Amino acid sequence: MITSSMNSLIVRMLLTLGAMLAMLLIAWMALRLPANHLDWLAPTRATATYYAWWRVLLYTLIFTGWAAALRIRQAPVDQQRLKRLGLIGFSSIILVELSRV
């Protein structure tokens, strides 16, 4: 008999495997694209530096707001929670920027 915890573990594993399979399928399809399908990206490359500066400004404002919130919160529990949120946010920003390469 399968318990509910084992059932949720199986469901999570199947969802993870499905997501991995979908990512592999998308990567395989992207590798098979001919070069002429990527010509529509050429006009956007001219504005790439403009958007890079806006991203730098946005990330600077996010970091400044996080540091100010960390200074305001004096309770150790609140600071620990803000540090975790900052780590999650920082990691997600890094993942987003690495996916743009």
Side-chain angles (χ1 to χ4, degrees), residues 51-73:
Y51 290 122
W53 284 110
W54 277 110
R55 284 196 319 272
V56 167
L57 178 65
L58 175 68
Y59 297 153
T60 304
L61 289 174
I62 289 171
F63 178 76
T64 306
W66 175 76
L70 196 57
R71 275 194 309 269
I72 291 172
R73 304 288 183 191

Side-chain angles (χ1 to χ4, degrees), residues 2 4 19 23 53 64 99:
I2 297 177
S4 64
M23 287 187 282
W53 284 110
T64 306
S99 70

Side-chain angles (χ1 to χ4, degrees), residues 1-14:
M1 180 170 203
I2 297 177
T3 62
S4 64
S5 63
M6 186 181 259
N7 192 16
S8 66
L9 176 68
I10 292 172
V11 169
R12 276 188 278 156
M13 285 178 57
L14 288 174

Side-chain angles (χ1 to χ4, degrees), residues 8 16 25 47 49 63 68 87-88 93-94:
S8 66
T16 304
L25 181 63
T47 59
T49 55
F63 178 76
L87 183 63
I88 291 169
I93 287 172
I94 287 177

Side-chain angles (χ1 to χ4, degrees), residues 68-90:
L70 196 57
R71 275 194 309 269
I72 291 172
R73 304 288 183 191
Q74 297 297 326
V77 175
D78 290 340
Q79 284 188 347
Q80 189 69 22
R81 190 176 300 135
L82 279 171
K83 285 180 184 177
R84 273 192 226 122
L85 279 172
L87 183 63
I88 291 169
F90 182 69

